[in-house]
Amino acid sequence: MIFKTKDITIEQVNEVMYEAAAKLPALVQVAEDPIVSSDVINNRHAVVFDKLATLKSQGKMVKTLVWYHTALAQACRILDVIREYHLLQEKTVKGGAQ
């Protein structure tokens, strides 16, 4: 979704995040209810986008808020990278290259 900066709305910003959550459900979550930091404990998503916290100034500035459980989210992303390297290695070995 591409739009002129001055014409952007809160709804458009939130819609982009919904699209990201649909494309990357293991990484992005959209919170529709009010949340606090304790609500994301043990949440494995890279980000939990706080839809209710999106703000827009009268000018061009948009402010968003995302939450994440630092240690758990980082550990999950490291595991994602390890899995991807493993898959890449399997493809390389099966393809004949070593």
Side-chain angles (χ1 to χ4, degrees):
M1 182 179 282
I2 300 174
F3 24 71
K4 295 178 183 176
T5 306
K6 66 181 181 180
D7 297 333
I8 195 168
T9 66
I10 290 173
E11 292 77 20
Q12 288 173 317
V13 172
N14 290 342
E15 182 59 33
V16 167
M17 292 308 295
Y18 277 114
E19 291 172 9
K23 289 179 184 175
L24 304 166
L27 297 178
V28 181
Q29 178 182 7
V30 176
E32 299 196 22
D33 297 321
I35 63 172
V36 295
S37 59
S38 61
D39 293 329
V40 297
I41 293 174
N42 294 326
N43 188 309
R44 295 173 177 264
H45 291 90
V47 296
V48 178
F49 178 76
D50 190 343
K51 172 189 165 185
L52 299 178
T54 306
L55 302 172
K56 183 178 185 282
S57 70
Q58 292 180 352
K60 297 180 180 181
M61 185 179 291
V62 175
K63 177 183 174 187
T64 61
L65 182 63
V66 296
W67 300 85
Y68 56 93
H69 185 170
T70 307
L72 182 59
Q74 287 177 349
C76 289
R77 299 304 68 81
I78 291 169
L79 289 173
D80 291 344
V81 170
I82 291 169
R83 286 184 193 109
E84 289 300 319
Y85 273 118
H86 178 72
L87 291 173
L88 181 62
Q89 182 182 16
E90 283 184 343
K91 288 178 185 178
T92 303
V93 171
K94 287 180 183 177
Q98 294 184 12

